[in-house]
Amino acid sequence: MSDIYRASTTAPVNIAVIKYWGKRDPKLNLPTNSSLSVTLSQNDLRTHTTASCSASYPAEDSLLLNGKPQDVSGARTQACFRQLRALRKDVEANDSNAPRLADLPLKIVSENNFPTAAGLASSAAGFAALVRAIANLYELPADPTELSRIARQGSGSACRSLFGGYVGWEQGSAADGSDSKAFEVAPASHWPNMRAVILVVSAAKKDVSSTSGMQTTVATSSLFASRASETVPRRMKEMQEAVENKDFETFAKVTMMDSNSFHATCLDTYPPIFYLNDVSRAAIKMVEHINAAAGNIIAAYTFDAGPNAVIYYLEENEKQVAGVFKTLLADKDGWSGERGAKVQGNYEAAEKANTEAEVAVGLLKDGVSRVILTGVGEGPRRTEESLINEKGEPVSVLY
Amino acid sequence: MSDIYRASTTAPVNIAVIKYWGKRDPKLNLPTNSSLSVTLSQNDLRTHTTASCSASYPAEDSLLLNGKPQDVSGARTQACFRQLRALRKDVEANDSNAPRLADLPLKIVSENNFPTAAGLASSAAGFAALVRAIANLYELPADPTELSRIARQGSGSACRSLFGGYVGWEQGSAADGSDSKAFEVAPASHWPNMRAVILVVSAAKKDVSSTSGMQTTVATSSLFASRASETVPRRMKEMQEAVENKDFETFAKVTMMDSNSFHATCLDTYPPIFYLNDVSRAAIKMVEHINAAAGNIIAAYTFDAGPNAVIYYLEENEKQVAGVFKTLLADKDGWSGERGAKVQGNYEAAEKANTEAEVAVGLLKDGVSRVILTGVGEGPRRTEESLINEKGEPVSVLY
C-alpha cells in the first residue's frame, strides 16, 4: 500500500478595522487599498484543516468542508494548489531524499467550529488553513509572508489570517502581486486585552439585500476613488500608530469611521449595495450610547459585508460593554460558553439603555439571534489532531 | 382706525434631484454645492400665507402657522424681514405717494395643506411663501431671482420654491452670497408629464434616528469633499441636459445616484447620520423591481433627510409605477384624492412583485403610512383668499 502523508493546522478568522473593498486586479486579488485587521482567537472561531496526499488517492484533488464535498476546480483554489506544488518541487529538486509529493493527488478535509449560518466571513480562515496545511504537508520553508501571497489569491482577506495579533495587508504596486502581502503590525501579546462581542443578526432580518460586487463599487461609485487614494492611506498610518501605542480611543474611532466609509461607498454604488439594516443601526446606536454613558470611547463597532456587528473593547471595560449586552440579550445563544459565562451582567447600564435607547434595544432584542464572545488571538497553529485517518479516510472531531 | 394692508400667496414644495447638503457659510446659508429640484404642484402640497401690516397691530412682528404662534426672533426670519423692509424703503424713497409700510409691524398667517407629521420638508415652501407674501404686500419690483436670495437666508432650499418647474440653485462664489440664487432650468410646461408618488413612512418606523447636522458632515466626512467638488458639478450639467432633452432615463439615473451619494456622505459622517431605514430600502428595491420588469428605467427614487421615498415617473408610465403601489398599498391613505383615484391599479405587476420582491413588499405594507400623488407644478401664486380678515384677525381656510 502507498504511503499516506498528512499534516494539519487550525487557522483564525480576522475582522478588519480598515476594510478591504475593491480590486485593482480581480484575477490576482490585488486590492485598491491596504487594510488592517485583528486576528480573533481560535479558541472561539477557527477552521481546522488536514491536508493529505497519497499515490493511493483518486487522481482528482478533493476538498471536504463540514462533511460536504466542495468544488476545487475554480481558478482561486487552483492557483493556491499550483503555487504550493511549485514550491514543493523546489524542495524536491534541492533534496533528492525528499519524497515526491508535488504530483500526488491532494485530499483535504476541513471543519469550521462556528455555524455557517452566522454569516461570518469563513473564506479567510478557510483559505489560510488550506494554504498553511498544504505548506505543512509539503514541509515548505515558506514563511507566513510568502504564504500570505498565495492565500491572497484564494480569498483576499485570507492573507491576513496567516498572522496572529494585529495584521496589515500591504496593497503593493507590482503588476504580478509580488508585493501585495500581509505583515504583522503587532503580535497579540503586544495588546492582549483586546476583546470582541459579535452580535449575529437573524437571517430573517437580513433581507432586501442586494447582490453585491465590490467591482461594481469601483466602477460606479464617485466617492470610492477618494476613499482608496486618500482616506485609507491616512487611516492605515493612524491605525498602526494606535496599535503601537495601545491607544484604544484612536483605534476605536478609526475603526468606526472606516466601517462607515466602506458602507458609504457601498451605498454610493449603482445600484446601491446595502449591508447594514435597522438591527445593525441599532447596534451602532447602542455603542454610541455605551460610549456616551462612559464619557469616553470604550467600544467600537465594525461591519463586514453583512448586518452582523463586531464590537471591539478592552477586557477591563468588559462589564460596561459586553455586560450591557449580556443583560439586555440574556436569552440569546452564546453566553453559556467559557468567555460568555465570565462576562458580568450590568443591570444598571441595561436599565439606562432601556430608557434612553429604547427603540435600539427593542430592535436588538428582536433581531439578534446569537452572540459570540472572542478576543485577539494567535496565527495558524499546527495540530496533530487529524481530520484524515491512517487509512486516508475523513474523520470528524466536531460532528 | 388705521389701514390694514394685506397680500396673500401660495408657494410650492420642491424635492431636489441633486441634493443640497453642506454650507460654506452657515450664517448666510451659502451651500458647498449647487442643487436642482422639481417644484411640486400646489394643488397637492402648498403653504398658503397672508402677510399684513398695520399701525394698529401690536408692535412685535408675529407669525401664526397652522393656528400656532411661531417664534420670529430667530436670525433667519429676521434676515428675511430686514431685507424685505429695506427693499420697501427703496420703493417709498422713490415714490412719495407710496404708503409708509416698512416700519409697520408685520402680522403673518400661514397654513400648510399637508400633514406636518408627513415629515415633508415644509420649511422650503414656508419661507418661499413668507418672502413672496411680504413682497406682494410691499409691492416690490423684485423678481423671483432676487427674492430667492432672500428666501435662501430663511431656509436654503426655500430659494428653489420661488420658481415653478425644474429649478437650479447656483452655489455662487461671492462672500456676501449675492450670486447664490435660484434659476429656472425649464418651466413646468416644458416637461409637464413628470409625476411623483411619495411613500410616507410611519413615524413609528423612523427611529434609531440620529441628530442631524449637515455641518458635521462637512467637518468629518472624508468622502464629502469629492462629492462637493467633483460629483455634483458633473451631475448638475448632466441633469440640466436631461431636463432640456426630456431624457427620463438620465434624469432618473442621476436622481437615484445623487440621492445615494448624499446618504453615503451622511453615513460617512462621524457619528454617522442615518435617514434611510429598512422601509426606505424596501422602496429602493421596489423601484429596482419596477424598472427591471419594464426593461428600462421608468421610475426614480430620491430621499431627503428622512425615510420617505419620493418616486418620480412620467404620466404615461403611471400604471406601471404608481399603479403597482396602488394595488400593493391599497389600504393606505392618499388614494382617494383626485390624482389617486385616477391611478389604475396593476394587479399583474403587483402579483409579480409579491413573488419576486416579497420581503420588500412586506416591509412597505408594514411601514408606509400614507401615499401622496403629485407632479411637477408652477411657482408661487398670488391669491385673494386671505388668512387675515379685514379687521386684521386670523382666519382659516382649512380648519
Side-chain angles (χ1 to χ4, degrees):
Chain A
M1 186 185 158
S2 308
D3 286 336
I4 289 176
Y5 299 87
R6 299 175 297 161
S8 300
T9 192
T10 60
V13 166
N14 73 76
I15 298 287
V17 291
I18 306 278
K19 302 295 188 191
Y20 156 51
W21 191 254
K23 303 176 201 252
R24 69 172 198 276
D25 182 329
K27 191 159 165 275
L28 290 172
N29 267 350
L30 298 178
T32 46
N33 60 255
S34 297
S35 54
L36 201 151
S37 58
V38 179
T39 294
L40 299 180
S41 171
Q42 293 168 76
N43 296 336
D44 309 305
L45 300 164
R46 70 168 168 277
T47 297
H48 178 180
T49 296
T50 298
S52 171
C53 60
S54 171
S56 67
Y57 287 165
E60 300 273 302
D61 298 332
S62 69
L63 168 60
L64 202 69
L65 172 62
N66 294 334
K68 293 193 187 107
Q70 307 292 307
D71 179 14
V72 295
S73 67
R76 303 203 171 284
T77 309
Q78 285 297 315
C80 294
F81 286 176
R82 190 171 54 245
Q83 288 171 57
L84 290 160
R85 281 187 160 119
L87 292 175
R88 174 65 191 177
K89 289 208 166 155
D90 292 345
V91 170
E92 296 171 11
N94 291 327
D95 177 1
S96 57
N97 292 324
R100 271 33 197 168
L101 304 184
D103 291 327
L104 298 181
L106 282 163
K107 183 183 285 189
I108 296 159
V109 178
S110 218
E111 285 184 352
N112 294 330
N113 74 337
F114 50 90
T116 310
L120 291 161
S122 53
S123 63
F127 271 102
L130 178 120
V131 168
R132 185 73 257 183
I134 299 176
N136 292 351
L137 175 71
Y138 288 168
E139 297 184 330
L140 300 182
D143 61 11
T145 303
E146 186 162 359
L147 295 182
S148 80
R149 266 194 297 257
I150 300 175
R152 187 202 77 225
Q153 294 169 65
S155 169
S157 56
C159 72
R160 297 187 310 242
S161 276
L162 267 310
F163 289 89
Y166 303 84
V167 186
W169 172 11
E170 180 58 43
Q171 64 183 96
S173 57
D176 66 354
S178 54
D179 57 353
S180 184
K181 53 187 197 285
F183 62 96
E184 183 189 88
V185 173
S189 59
H190 168 73
W191 201 5
N193 47 335
M194 182 68 72
R195 295 288 175 274
V197 53
I198 304 175
L199 307 180
V200 179
V201 173
S202 318
K205 295 277 167 187
K206 271 190 204 175
D207 217 359
V208 201
S209 71
S210 313
T211 51
S212 139
M214 50 170 85
Q215 289 320 91
T216 317
T217 304
V218 178
T220 66
S221 167
S222 71
L223 304 178
F224 179 76
S226 76
R227 165 172 169 76
S229 66
E230 292 166 35
T231 308
V232 169
R234 174 166 43 79
R235 287 188 181 152
M236 279 296 288
K237 277 187 205 147
E238 289 168 358
M239 187 58 92
Q240 287 179 70
E241 279 174 31
V243 170
E244 278 154 29
N245 301 329
K246 293 180 259 187
D247 168 3
F248 186 83
E249 184 145 347
T250 303
F251 171 89
K253 213 173 151 181
V254 175
T255 294
M256 293 187 279
M257 292 180 94
D258 197 73
S259 175
N260 292 334
S261 165
F262 154 50
H263 290 281
T265 63
C266 288
L267 172 51
D268 189 49
T269 301
Y270 184 81
I273 299 170
F274 293 101
Y275 294 118
L276 305 182
N277 64 17
D278 283 356
V279 182
S280 315
R281 292 166 56 204
I284 290 175
K285 195 78 177 172
M286 272 303 298
V287 167
E288 290 175 346
H289 173 81
I290 285 168
N291 288 334
N296 60 330
I297 301 182
I298 60 169
Y301 55 78
T302 186
F303 298 83
D304 277 353
N308 297 340
V310 176
I311 300 169
Y312 285 114
Y313 61 93
L314 295 180
E315 186 181 20
E316 55 264 42
N317 296 317
E318 185 151 81
K319 187 177 175 183
Q320 285 173 274
V321 184
V324 184
F325 291 108
K326 185 169 186 178
T327 301
L328 291 173
L329 305 173
D331 61 328
K332 307 297 178 188
D333 281 346
W335 297 113
S336 57
E338 195 185 340
R339 284 206 202 250
K342 271 192 207 153
V343 175
Q344 284 186 275
N346 191 333
Y347 300 90
E348 198 185 340
E351 201 48 51
K352 199 170 145 77
N354 267 324
T355 312
E356 293 174 16
E358 188 188 349
V359 178
V361 169
L363 282 161
L364 290 175
K365 285 183 174 174
D366 224 37
V368 170
S369 63
R370 57 178 293 134
V371 298
I372 296 169
L373 279 295
T374 185
V376 65
E378 308 293 338
R381 281 197 292 243
R382 184 184 284 266
T383 171
E384 295 312 310
E385 202 164 22
S386 182
L387 296 175
I388 295 178
N389 67 19
E390 290 171 0
K391 298 180 204 163
E393 298 160 346
V395 293
S396 173
V397 301
L398 287 177
Y399 303 102
Chain B
M1 186 184 157
S2 309
D3 286 335
I4 288 177
Y5 299 89
R6 297 175 298 161
S8 299
T9 193
T10 60
V13 166
N14 72 77
I15 298 287
V17 290
I18 305 277
K19 301 294 187 191
Y20 156 49
W21 191 255
K23 302 175 202 249
R24 67 172 199 276
D25 181 330
K27 189 159 168 273
L28 290 172
N29 266 351
L30 298 177
T32 45
N33 60 255
S34 297
S35 54
L36 201 151
S37 57
V38 179
T39 294
L40 300 180
S41 170
Q42 294 168 75
N43 296 336
D44 309 305
L45 300 164
R46 71 169 168 276
T47 298
H48 178 180
T49 296
T50 298
S52 170
C53 60
S54 171
S56 68
Y57 287 166
E60 301 274 303
D61 298 332
S62 70
L63 169 59
L64 203 68
L65 172 62
N66 294 335
K68 293 193 187 104
Q70 308 292 308
D71 179 15
V72 295
S73 66
R76 304 205 170 283
T77 311
Q78 285 298 314
C80 294
F81 286 176
R82 191 172 54 244
Q83 288 171 58
L84 290 159
R85 280 185 161 120
L87 292 175
R88 174 66 192 176
K89 287 208 168 154
D90 292 344
V91 170
E92 294 171 11
N94 291 328
D95 177 359
S96 57
N97 289 326
R100 272 31 196 169
L101 303 184
D103 291 326
L104 297 181
L106 283 162
K107 182 183 286 189
I108 296 158
V109 178
S110 217
E111 284 184 352
N112 294 331
N113 75 337
F114 50 90
T116 310
L120 291 160
S122 53
S123 63
F127 271 102
L130 178 122
V131 168
R132 186 72 258 184
I134 298 174
N136 291 352
L137 175 73
Y138 287 169
E139 297 183 330
L140 301 181
D143 62 12
T145 302
E146 184 161 0
L147 295 182
S148 81
R149 267 194 295 258
I150 299 175
R152 187 201 75 224
Q153 293 169 67
S155 169
S157 57
C159 72
R160 296 188 310 242
S161 276
L162 267 310
F163 289 89
Y166 303 85
V167 187
W169 171 11
E170 180 58 45
Q171 64 183 97
S173 57
D176 67 353
S178 54
D179 57 355
S180 184
K181 53 190 198 282
F183 62 97
E184 184 189 87
V185 173
S189 58
H190 167 73
W191 202 6
N193 47 336
M194 183 67 70
R195 296 287 176 273
V197 53
I198 305 176
L199 307 180
V200 179
V201 173
S202 317
K205 296 278 166 188
K206 270 190 207 176
D207 217 359
V208 200
S209 72
S210 312
T211 50
S212 143
M214 49 171 84
Q215 289 320 91
T216 317
T217 304
V218 178
T220 65
S221 168
S222 71
L223 305 177
F224 179 76
S226 76
R227 165 172 168 77
S229 66
E230 291 165 35
T231 308
V232 169
R234 174 166 43 80
R235 288 188 181 150
M236 279 296 289
K237 277 187 206 148
E238 290 168 358
M239 187 58 93
Q240 286 179 70
E241 279 174 32
V243 170
E244 277 154 29
N245 301 330
K246 293 180 259 187
D247 168 3
F248 186 82
E249 184 146 347
T250 302
F251 171 89
K253 213 172 149 179
V254 175
T255 294
M256 293 188 279
M257 291 180 94
D258 197 74
S259 175
N260 292 333
S261 165
F262 153 50
H263 290 281
T265 63
C266 288
L267 171 50
D268 190 49
T269 301
Y270 185 82
I273 299 170
F274 293 101
Y275 293 118
L276 306 181
N277 64 18
D278 283 356
V279 182
S280 315
R281 292 167 55 202
I284 290 175
K285 194 77 179 174
M286 272 303 298
V287 168
E288 290 174 348
H289 173 81
I290 285 168
N291 288 334
N296 61 331
I297 301 182
I298 61 169
Y301 55 80
T302 187
F303 298 83
D304 278 353
N308 297 341
V310 176
I311 300 169
Y312 286 114
Y313 61 93
L314 295 180
E315 186 181 20
E316 54 264 41
N317 296 318
E318 185 151 82
K319 188 177 174 182
Q320 285 173 273
V321 184
V324 185
F325 292 108
K326 186 169 184 178
T327 301
L328 292 172
L329 305 174
D331 61 327
K332 308 297 178 188
D333 281 347
W335 298 111
S336 57
E338 195 185 339
R339 283 205 203 251
K342 272 191 205 152
V343 175
Q344 285 185 273
N346 191 333
Y347 300 91
E348 198 186 339
E351 201 48 51
K352 200 170 144 78
N354 267 324
T355 313
E356 294 175 14
E358 189 188 349
V359 177
V361 169
L363 282 162
L364 290 175
K365 285 184 174 175
D366 222 39
V368 170
S369 62
R370 58 179 291 133
V371 299
I372 296 170
L373 279 295
T374 184
V376 65
E378 309 293 338
R381 282 197 292 243
R382 184 184 286 266
T383 172
E384 296 310 311
E385 203 165 22
S386 181
L387 297 175
I388 295 177
N389 67 18
E390 291 169 358
K391 297 182 201 159
E393 298 160 344
V395 293
S396 172
V397 300
L398 287 177
Y399 302 101

